[in-house]
Each structure stands twice: as C-alpha cells, then as structure tokens.
Amino acid sequence: MKITILTLFPSMFEGFLKNSIIARAVANEKIEFECVDFREYATDKFHRVDDTPCGGGAGMVLQCQPIVDCLKDVRMPNSKVVMLTPSGRVFNQKVAREYAKDEHLILLCGHYEGFDHRILNYVDEELSIGDFVLTGGEIAAMVVSDAVIRLQEGVIRTESSNDDSFENDLLEYPQYTRPIVYDGHEVPSVLLSGHHENIRKWRLEKSLETTLEKRPDLLQNRQFTKEELKMLQNIKKNKGIK
C-alpha cells in the first residue's frame, strides 16, 4: 500500500516516520509513504496557495490551482483521494479497515479557513477525525495513517489488531502484566489459571461490561451471539440496569 500526504508542512511528518511500528513498516516495505508539498505547484512568483475569501470574511482560503495540479501529478488509476475537513464523515475503525484495502491513499491536508469548495470536484470523499477544529490537517493525516498502517499484513500480529477496541463494536477487555500484586491490587485469578476457555469468556464478558459502561452507543446496532446476549443480561442484572 502507498500513502501520499499533500501538505504545506511536510517536515511535520519527519518524527512520525522515524519511530516505532511506523518506521519498521516503512523499512520492511510493508508501506510506501510520501509527503508532497503542494506549494511547489503554485504558479505565481510568490508561490502563494491561498487568497482572501470571496464575499469577505476573516482568514485565507486555499486555492484550487496548486492543489488540483498536485493531485493530477500524484494521482493514479487506483488512488483514493480523501480531503481532511471537519465536514467529512467521521473516522473510525471500520473506515480504517476500509482504507487499509486501498492500494493508494491520498490524504489532502487543509489550512487557514479551509479549501475552495470547487476542490471537492477532484476528491473522492471528505473525512473528519472528530467534532473539533485543528490548525491544519497534518495531525489528522497522521491519525488516519497510523490506524491504516497497523492494519497492513505483517505490520503487527493479526490477533493483536483483532482484539483492539472498536473491533466488532466492542471496547477491549482490561489488560494486566507482572507483578501479580502491585500496591495491594491483584491480577484477576482467571488470567493466571491457564484455562484458555475460561480466559476467553472472562475477556468477552469484560469487553461487554466495559462497552456498556463507557460506550453503550456501540452496542445499539451490534448483532450479538447467544453467548453474548446471556452475558450482557447477567451484567445488566448485576448492575441493576433494565
């Protein structure tokens, strides 16, 4: 898979690409990553990429020409172009898995007061990472890239990603490591039993319990197994939830 970032600040990604799982994924050629400064496509002598908004107003708006010319240069037949903007659909784990299947993902980072609306004619979709505003799309691009890269085959163990929070609309179960007792707090005995089926059931029950407590909205449209329904009923009964 290849990820291309269109940005005015490519240096922001230097640290992102040099650490931990991302660096190993690039070094092992599990992912190809490039940053393109679309200011290089500006045609005026000052290399301007923005101008004042039509109709008046504060701030500056990114112009069509530099971005569209840049897109024409980097886009391939198999590319998906995503504009990072507050008005896009909200990013989540399902979207990350969707993007992870693409051969070439292009992420367009905005700045200032946003994009000239006509640029939408040259992208495939808009994407937001949440209901808040950032100074630019670079941090959002890192979020999306990180979530997508770790889903590529060989980057991390498949069983690790399958148990992540938001997979199958559940939050992850609690995790523990040594020491077995710390400051009077003990690791649950079931995790030390060596009984794999009991451990599986405990983890599933705790995932359901944690999701019900912290993100009940995730359970609203979930298709439960008979085992999960029984567990969920017991959890609600013990907590006095109808």
Side-chain angles (χ1 to χ4, degrees):
M1 182 187 189
K2 181 178 182 180
I3 297 177
T4 299
I5 309 293
L6 305 192
T7 172
L8 293 173
F9 303 97
S11 61
M12 288 183 66
F13 293 86
E14 292 176 1
F16 174 74
L17 292 171
K18 291 180 179 178
N19 292 282
S20 189
I21 291 173
I22 306 300
R24 291 199 301 271
V26 174
N28 294 331
E29 299 182 346
K30 302 296 183 182
I31 193 80
E32 183 181 352
F33 198 98
E34 69 172 346
C35 290
V36 180
D37 185 350
F38 58 81
R39 189 182 297 278
E40 295 179 2
Y41 290 81
T43 56
D44 77 321
K45 63 180 181 179
F46 299 109
H47 294 282
R48 289 187 61 177
V49 295
D50 60 339
D51 207 335
T52 55
C54 293
M60 305 291 281
V61 177
L62 288 168
Q63 297 172 307
C64 294
Q65 177 272 315
I67 291 175
V68 173
D69 284 356
C70 182
L71 279 173
K72 289 178 179 178
D73 198 21
V74 302
R75 192 170 195 164
M76 298 183 290
N78 62 349
S79 301
K80 175 181 285 184
V81 182
V82 177
M83 176 190 284
L84 296 163
T85 170
S87 60
R89 68 164 168 162
V90 179
F91 186 64
N92 57 28
Q93 190 68 11
K94 288 181 179 179
V95 178
R97 286 205 170 273
E98 176 188 322
Y99 287 175
K101 298 175 182 178
D102 290 312
E103 294 182 44
H104 185 206
L105 182 64
I106 300 174
L107 300 175
L108 174 55
C109 302
H111 257 274
Y112 314 122
E113 288 300 306
F115 300 96
D116 185 308
H117 191 73
R118 292 168 291 184
I119 297 173
L120 283 174
N121 295 305
Y122 303 89
V123 307
D124 295 310
E125 66 175 270
E126 300 173 82
L127 186 75
S128 168
I129 63 166
D131 297 338
F132 48 87
V133 179
L134 300 171
T135 55
E138 284 74 20
I139 293 175
M142 293 180 200
V143 169
V144 175
S145 297
D146 187 290
V148 170
I149 290 171
R150 67 192 305 279
L151 293 175
Q152 297 302 306
E153 184 177 357
V155 173
I156 63 173
R157 292 185 304 170
T158 302
E159 55 268 30
S160 294
S161 62
N162 287 342
D163 287 337
D164 283 339
S165 290
F166 305 111
E167 293 294 341
N168 302 313
D169 295 320
L170 291 177
L171 298 181
E172 189 177 8
Y173 49 80
Q175 296 277 17
Y176 298 87
T177 188
R178 288 179 289 274
I180 304 306
V181 180
Y182 177 76
D183 197 26
H185 304 288
E186 298 185 22
V187 173
S189 59
V190 64
L191 299 179
L192 310 175
S193 67
H195 195 297
H196 297 298
E197 178 61 11
N198 286 348
I199 293 172
R200 182 196 67 79
K201 289 180 178 179
W202 182 89
R203 285 175 168 170
L204 176 57
E205 183 176 2
K206 288 301 179 181
S207 285
L208 289 165
E209 183 178 357
T210 302
T211 307
L212 178 65
E213 179 182 344
K214 298 181 178 180
R215 288 294 305 276
D217 56 295
L218 294 175
L219 301 176
Q220 290 178 1
N221 299 315
R222 192 174 189 278
Q223 298 297 315
F224 296 98
T225 65
K226 291 182 179 179
E227 180 185 37
E228 291 169 347
L229 279 174
K230 185 176 180 180
M231 285 183 176
L232 193 58
Q233 289 171 355
N234 288 334
I235 292 168
K236 289 182 176 181
K237 182 178 179 181
N238 291 335
K239 291 182 174 293
I241 302 174
K242 295 182 179 180

